[in-house]
Amino acid sequence: MKLEILTRNEHKELHNLIIANIRDLINRKNLEPGDKLPSERMLSERFEVSRSNVREAIQKLEFYGILKSKPQSGTFVADIGQVAMNGMMNDILALEDPDFKSLVETRILLELKTVKLAAKRRTDSDLERMKAALEAYKVKVLNNEDAVQEDLLFHLAIAQACGNSTINRMMLIITPEIINNFEKYHVCDKNQSQKRLKEHQDIFKAIKEQNTQKAKQMMKDHFVELYKYCYNI
Amino acid sequence: MKLEILTRNEHKELHNLIIANIRDLINRKNLEPGDKLPSERMLSERFEVSRSNVREAIQKLEFYGILKSKPQSGTFVADIGQVAMNGMMNDILALEDPDFKSLVETRILLELKTVKLAAKRRTDSDLERMKAALEAYKVKVLNNEDAVQEDLLFHLAIAQACGNSTINRMMLIITPEIINNFEKYHVCDKNQSQKRLKEHQDIFKAIKEQNTQKAKQMMKDHFVELYKYCYNI
DNA sequence: TAAACCAATCTGGTTAACCAATTTTTTATT
DNA sequence: AATAAAAAATTGGTTAACCAGATTGGTTTA
């Protein structure tokens, strides 16, 4: 067989092709939750792709909870049912790359929640972590240095304090994408950094005082600039 | 070298170990954004693990946007900066498995947003997809069959119509976990299924009419039972 | 001096052979 | 005939050799 190196996009296309093939196979064979898929070797032969590509596609479907691999046993359809599996696979295949607007919209949604929850649930050690992150941010700002990272890390510290591991996970997923777009579009303006620092300090204070409403309002104010920018694209 | 098969948990531990090693390496060598990591072969030798394990750990960090692999070239630290990378890696390593309460809380947060956005932005083809999902749900309910999957698929159809690919992605991530917990804790009650159908129809109607406030309120009502359950655990 | 070229080397990706746990089938025993 | 024990086949995971594109350093050339 000819060996071919794929670009990142071709790679994704290949994965989607394999995923679609697996979906069709499950439908044709009427596999139900808990049923076993054909082995990786058979799938790779059947779809005429390498076994490692099949493994990668299966890994992706495992991430979305649709399949489960058991060592030395097989790959199984998860307990989510055939209909749900079909719908979700189609959804996954239709998933496009996130645009900046979608990222910002999601970030604001998540953070207005995390800040409220953090104000309610923060422990003393949470406070310490947040304070440390805030201090690091402060130092950079006062030295008039770029502080995008420290900015975001303070927000991640809030997410960590919100006591919801799922929301925290989602903040982790979007943060690097946010950072990249920040730098790409030069969202952050150094002239405003003093103001931003003040806002961060206000947020921290509200969380410390466990004033949920104030915390949310401070975060909202903090996002106003971003909002504006987002709707101007 | 001795070959050893790992359980799922040991596997995760190994990944975390490698991730921690990579973090320490980046710190020790003071690698900055865009810098190249040592090759996979060198890392595997240095950490005394297999190259495929290194590749899997790198893949995970790629998913979180911390590293970028370029074919035939190398693996690079993403443009998020050293400080952010450190903080995020620590966060990732500290990430625990989601509990049901965290899942439900997140689901409600996301869906109260998706339903509002869907009411505002839904296209005609979105409406058709949602109507189809709703019909499938209706058939199951009227036949008094289990309809958890069709239920969730309707919600996913709403997410798809919300015009925000990031939120849609997150709904896809949590849905299988939600389904599993639904079935584990028997959250769904068949006696209430008629009521649930009515609620779904109300939501659909509100989205069709593009009445955002009503759509959100209907969704809120729909979640009341879940709320109760969630806070009773 | 600097630009262009070329070959040696290094890289992530791919493949195929191999491993050990598991599952299935066969055989042996009661 | 039923059960237990053993062997064969199957599985996902692992390893190591290999591939082709990218990089690099030195050499040649304008």
Side-chain angles (χ1 to χ4, degrees):
Chain A
M1 183 182 294
K2 194 188 159 199
L3 198 152
E4 210 169 327
I5 304 290
L6 302 177
T7 67
R8 189 182 306 272
N9 267 341
E10 288 168 340
H11 209 98
K12 190 181 169 187
E13 289 295 321
L14 180 57
H15 278 188
N16 280 354
L17 189 77
I18 296 175
I19 289 175
N21 272 321
I22 292 178
R23 177 199 56 191
D24 295 342
L25 183 85
I26 292 179
N27 286 330
R28 203 163 41 244
K29 294 214 170 185
N30 244 305
L31 295 185
E32 301 201 358
D35 285 357
K36 190 159 80 172
L37 241 62
S39 71
E40 296 177 349
R41 287 165 184 77
M42 288 185 60
L43 292 178
S44 79
E45 196 177 342
R46 181 163 195 160
F47 304 155
E48 295 182 328
V49 295
S50 75
R51 193 182 150 202
S52 47
N53 287 138
V54 171
R55 279 175 65 76
E56 284 167 5
I58 288 177
Q59 224 168 344
K60 191 168 178 183
L61 291 175
E62 273 192 274
F63 171 76
Y64 282 107
I66 292 176
L67 298 179
K68 297 271 182 210
S69 280
K70 271 197 204 170
Q72 283 75 46
S73 176
T75 302
F76 300 82
V77 181
D79 288 332
I80 61 164
Q82 197 184 16
V83 182
M85 186 224 62
N86 246 289
M88 289 191 57
M89 277 198 171
N90 291 336
D91 227 354
I92 290 171
L93 291 174
L95 213 56
E96 71 254 43
D97 287 332
D99 55 319
F100 189 35
K101 186 174 173 182
S102 132
L103 279 171
V104 171
E105 198 170 72
T106 310
R107 181 191 173 186
I108 292 171
L109 169 67
L110 291 176
E111 292 223 48
L112 289 185
K113 185 74 174 187
T114 59
V115 78
K116 246 169 50 183
L117 292 179
K120 198 189 290 176
R121 302 173 180 168
R122 96 287 184 288
T123 64
D124 287 347
S125 63
D126 286 331
L127 274 183
E128 274 175 41
R129 263 197 300 275
M130 289 167 51
K131 194 178 176 64
L134 183 55
E135 273 304 311
Y137 179 63
K138 185 179 174 183
V139 169
K140 286 273 184 171
V141 167
L142 293 185
N143 287 340
N144 207 30
E145 291 178 84
D146 182 272
V148 182
Q149 301 174 51
E150 286 78 8
D151 184 338
L152 268 297
L153 279 183
F154 176 68
H155 287 269
L156 280 181
I158 296 175
Q160 215 174 354
C162 84
N164 183 314
S165 58
T166 304
I167 297 185
N168 188 23
R169 192 158 113 240
M170 294 180 169
M171 279 295 296
L172 278 172
I173 292 173
I174 67 169
T175 295
E177 295 166 8
I178 291 274
I179 292 180
N180 278 330
N181 279 285
F182 260 49
E183 283 163 356
K184 201 198 295 182
Y185 295 114
H186 304 291
V187 174
C188 43
D189 182 357
K190 272 194 193 166
N191 302 331
Q192 309 254 323
S193 59
Q194 301 277 344
K195 204 168 137 198
R196 289 287 133 71
L197 174 60
K198 173 75 164 58
E199 289 162 4
H200 272 207
Q201 288 168 330
D202 289 341
I203 293 170
F204 176 73
K205 195 161 160 250
I207 293 176
K208 190 177 177 184
E209 294 168 354
Q210 304 205 273
N211 186 336
T212 56
Q213 280 312 307
K214 187 179 168 196
K216 186 181 176 183
Q217 188 57 49
M218 294 291 107
M219 186 64 86
K220 222 172 198 167
D221 296 345
H222 185 50
F223 278 139
V224 163
E225 288 293 323
L226 256 181
Y227 260 120
K228 269 199 245 163
Y229 179 81
C230 175
Y231 284 105
N232 280 342
I233 283 182
Chain B
M1 183 182 295
K2 193 189 159 198
L3 198 151
E4 210 170 327
I5 304 291
L6 302 178
T7 66
R8 190 182 305 272
N9 267 343
E10 289 168 339
H11 208 99
K12 190 182 170 187
E13 289 296 320
L14 181 57
H15 279 188
N16 280 355
L17 188 78
I18 297 175
I19 289 175
N21 271 320
I22 292 178
R23 177 199 56 192
D24 295 342
L25 182 85
I26 292 178
N27 286 330
R28 202 164 41 245
K29 294 213 170 184
N30 243 307
L31 295 186
E32 302 201 357
D35 284 358
K36 190 158 78 172
L37 240 62
S39 70
E40 296 177 351
R41 286 166 184 78
M42 288 186 61
L43 292 179
S44 78
E45 195 176 345
R46 182 163 196 160
F47 304 154
E48 295 182 329
V49 294
S50 75
R51 193 183 149 201
S52 46
N53 287 139
V54 172
R55 279 174 66 73
E56 285 166 4
I58 288 177
Q59 226 167 343
K60 190 168 177 182
L61 291 174
E62 273 193 274
F63 171 76
Y64 282 106
I66 293 176
L67 299 178
K68 297 272 182 208
S69 280
K70 271 197 206 168
Q72 282 79 44
S73 176
T75 303
F76 300 83
V77 180
D79 287 332
I80 60 165
Q82 198 184 14
V83 183
M85 187 225 61
N86 247 289
M88 289 191 57
M89 278 198 171
N90 290 336
D91 228 355
I92 289 171
L93 292 174
L95 212 56
E96 73 254 42
D97 288 332
D99 55 318
F100 189 35
K101 186 174 172 180
S102 132
L103 279 170
V104 171
E105 198 169 73
T106 310
R107 182 192 174 185
I108 292 171
L109 169 67
L110 291 176
E111 292 223 47
L112 289 184
K113 187 72 174 188
T114 59
V115 77
K116 245 169 51 183
L117 292 178
K120 198 190 289 177
R121 301 172 182 169
R122 96 285 185 287
T123 64
D124 287 345
S125 63
D126 286 331
L127 274 184
E128 274 175 42
R129 263 196 301 275
M130 290 168 50
K131 193 179 177 64
L134 184 55
E135 273 305 310
Y137 179 63
K138 184 178 173 183
V139 169
K140 286 272 184 173
V141 167
L142 294 186
N143 287 341
N144 208 29
E145 291 178 85
D146 182 273
V148 181
Q149 300 175 51
E150 287 78 7
D151 183 339
L152 268 297
L153 279 184
F154 176 68
H155 287 269
L156 279 181
I158 296 175
Q160 214 175 354
C162 84
N164 183 314
S165 59
T166 304
I167 297 185
N168 188 24
R169 192 159 114 238
M170 295 180 171
M171 280 295 296
L172 278 172
I173 293 173
I174 67 169
T175 295
E177 295 166 8
I178 291 275
I179 292 181
N180 279 329
N181 279 286
F182 260 49
E183 283 163 357
K184 202 199 293 183
Y185 295 113
H186 304 291
V187 174
C188 44
D189 181 357
K190 271 193 191 166
N191 302 331
Q192 309 254 323
S193 58
Q194 300 277 345
K195 205 169 137 196
R196 288 288 133 70
L197 174 59
K198 173 76 166 57
E199 289 162 5
H200 273 207
Q201 288 168 331
D202 287 342
I203 293 170
F204 176 72
K205 194 161 161 248
I207 293 175
K208 190 178 178 183
E209 293 167 355
Q210 303 204 274
N211 187 335
T212 57
Q213 280 313 307
K214 187 179 167 197
K216 187 180 175 183
Q217 189 56 49
M218 295 290 108
M219 185 65 87
K220 224 172 197 166
D221 295 345
H222 185 51
F223 277 139
V224 164
E225 287 293 324
L226 256 180
Y227 260 121
K228 269 199 244 164
Y229 180 81
C230 176
Y231 284 106
N232 280 342
I233 285 182

